[in-house]
Amino acid sequence: SLRAATDVVLATTSRRAPTLAPPHDHRADSTDARDARDASASANEPRTRTNDPRAAVQRARALLCSVTLMIEADDDLARERFAFDSDRADFDLLRAAALLPRIESRDPDVDAVVTAVDGWAGEVRDDMKKRASSWQAPLDALVSVLFSRVRLRGDQEEYDDPRTSFLAEVIERRRGLPITLSLLVVETAKRAGLVSCGLALPRHFMSGVMLKKRADADAGDLFFVDAFHGQVLPVQDVARRVGLPVDELAEHLSPASSDAILVRMLTNLRQSYLRRQDAHACLRVLSRLLLLMPRLAALHLERAHLKSAIGDAGGALLDAQTGLKLARDPDERDAAERILEKLTKLSGWVH
């Protein structure tokens, strides 16, 4: 267990390290054999024990590293490291986001998520053919399929539940957060041939759909889709919903990048697990955030705090040292130095 491993580390750093050896049943031996063995052991045992501080430090570091490995061994990030790489030509945000239940050691059915969204996109295309007379037919079809037939809605009752961030759960329950619902809207729209993007507006994530009145038009009109409420909103209502004046709304209308969407989804989960005081789930979230923002000192320091709290001194040390190297302002440097000082006092050897 983690506690037992930590106890071994502390014992190793003391003057007398524990000697772990299997018990021997002397009753199975003859008296002569036992005497001969005892004499041989006495002859080979050194007369004096030397305590090399450097060797003790090396042993302690090795054992602390083993504690870190024990904690992280069940959180293999290989799939996320590949799936979160938005520079890949075959990157798929839907597949990347569908992996988030792995934070809770689940094995999500990513293909089922993709199949569901592909099916919705097919329904949108079929509906668009029936509405071909209107230039807004693609948007009308999208809204009809997702909000009338599929009945996607915001989860008002369990807003903070981690399930509202897991796409497979959202598809099954038809309930989710603004960002997960908006992601499903955007991915369905794209698969149906529409131009769509996520909009990381303050306080409320939405999706945008761009439509042209004529195929040869240079520019199109942007429509705001509030998936949480199942509505298409005029710009004035969007501004009111996000708490901004209309003239300031344009500053927030850049399409959200794939990395930004994943970061926002993970940040929602981090807050949810913090409120539940689930340190291990928070650690898993932070490890995924660091895949997307590896040079953000604050994340390394936050993870160092959590690792220290659960007894992973070795992992906390590595994160604190990394945070100190990446720190860009005095507050971050002070935080890193405080963590390192705390670890020094706890272990007696970390420097």
Side-chain angles (χ1 to χ4, degrees):
S1 67
L2 173 61
R3 179 61 180 273
T6 305
D7 290 342
V8 172
V9 173
L10 295 176
T12 303
T13 58
S14 66
R15 287 185 176 273
R16 288 183 290 182
T19 301
L20 304 178
H24 190 87
D25 187 0
H26 290 286
R27 292 175 298 178
D29 296 341
S30 66
T31 302
D32 292 341
R34 184 168 65 248
D35 292 342
R37 185 182 60 253
D38 292 343
S40 175
S42 297
N44 293 329
E45 186 177 0
R47 293 179 181 273
T48 59
R49 178 185 293 270
T50 58
N51 291 324
D52 184 351
R54 290 174 298 178
V57 168
Q58 291 174 351
R59 289 196 301 272
R61 284 177 175 164
L63 284 167
L64 280 176
C65 287
S66 71
V67 174
T68 302
L69 291 173
M70 286 170 57
I71 292 172
E72 298 181 350
D74 64 339
D75 190 20
D76 182 5
L77 293 171
R79 290 179 67 183
E80 284 81 1
R81 190 170 286 107
F82 175 80
F84 288 6
D85 182 6
S86 57
D87 292 331
R88 290 187 296 110
D90 59 344
F91 171 78
D92 188 335
L93 176 58
L94 187 64
R95 288 184 173 275
L99 288 175
L100 296 190
R102 280 168 46 85
I103 292 167
E104 296 186 356
S105 300
R106 303 188 196 181
D107 186 16
D109 190 344
V110 176
D111 289 335
V113 171
V114 174
T115 298
V117 174
D118 285 343
W120 297 343
E123 292 185 45
V124 172
R125 287 193 297 270
D126 292 340
D127 203 315
M128 285 166 53
K129 296 174 184 177
K130 301 174 185 177
R131 305 170 185 261
S133 59
S134 169
W135 71 278
Q136 294 187 19
L139 178 62
D140 294 338
L142 181 70
V143 170
S144 175
V145 169
L146 294 184
F147 302 140
S148 296
R149 298 182 201 172
V150 178
R151 298 188 62 79
L152 292 179
R153 288 291 186 277
D155 196 330
Q156 304 274 7
E157 297 178 357
E158 298 178 295
Y159 192 90
D160 189 47
D161 193 317
R163 293 181 301 168
T164 58
S165 293
F166 298 154
L167 292 181
E169 299 263 7
V170 173
I171 290 172
E172 179 181 352
R173 299 169 61 241
R174 304 296 199 256
R175 298 290 183 270
L177 293 177
I179 190 168
T180 47
L181 294 170
S182 295
L183 176 57
L184 292 174
V185 170
V186 169
E187 292 299 316
T188 300
K190 287 182 176 179
R191 284 163 165 76
L194 282 67
V195 178
S196 183
C197 66
L199 299 173
L201 299 171
R203 293 169 30 184
H204 199 70
F205 200 98
M206 295 189 190
S207 55
V209 177
M210 185 72 72
L211 296 179
K212 293 182 178 181
K213 292 183 179 179
R214 300 189 318 275
D216 59 348
D218 294 332
D221 292 343
L222 177 64
F223 291 84
F224 298 91
V225 181
D226 180 357
F228 193 80
H229 297 96
Q231 298 173 327
V232 178
L233 297 177
V235 65
Q236 293 82 2
D237 288 352
V238 173
R240 279 194 294 270
R241 191 151 290 179
V242 301
L244 289 174
V246 173
D247 57 355
E248 293 182 16
L249 189 61
E251 301 174 12
H252 302 273
L253 296 184
S254 298
S257 68
S258 297
D259 284 359
I261 291 173
L262 289 172
V263 166
R264 190 152 169 170
M265 293 178 74
L266 287 165
T267 300
N268 288 337
L269 281 168
R270 177 178 62 178
Q271 296 304 113
S272 179
Y273 290 127
L274 282 174
R275 282 187 283 269
R276 287 166 171 74
Q277 297 185 342
D278 189 338
H280 287 87
C282 283
L283 281 174
R284 288 167 172 253
V285 172
L286 290 171
S287 295
R288 285 156 177 78
L289 283 169
L290 282 167
L291 291 178
L292 298 164
M293 300 180 292
R295 299 192 61 79
L296 190 59
L299 287 178
H300 287 281
L301 297 178
E302 184 178 348
R303 193 168 67 168
H305 273 295
L306 281 174
K307 286 183 175 180
S308 177
I310 66 171
D312 181 11
L317 170 66
L318 293 175
D319 272 323
Q321 290 174 332
T322 303
L324 182 59
K325 291 178 183 177
L326 297 175
R328 294 185 177 182
D329 60 63
D331 289 341
E332 288 181 341
R333 283 192 290 273
D334 289 345
E337 289 169 354
R338 283 197 301 271
I339 297 173
L340 290 171
E341 181 181 0
K342 176 183 176 182
L343 291 170
T344 301
K345 291 179 179 178
L346 288 174
S347 64
W349 58 267
V350 179
H351 299 286

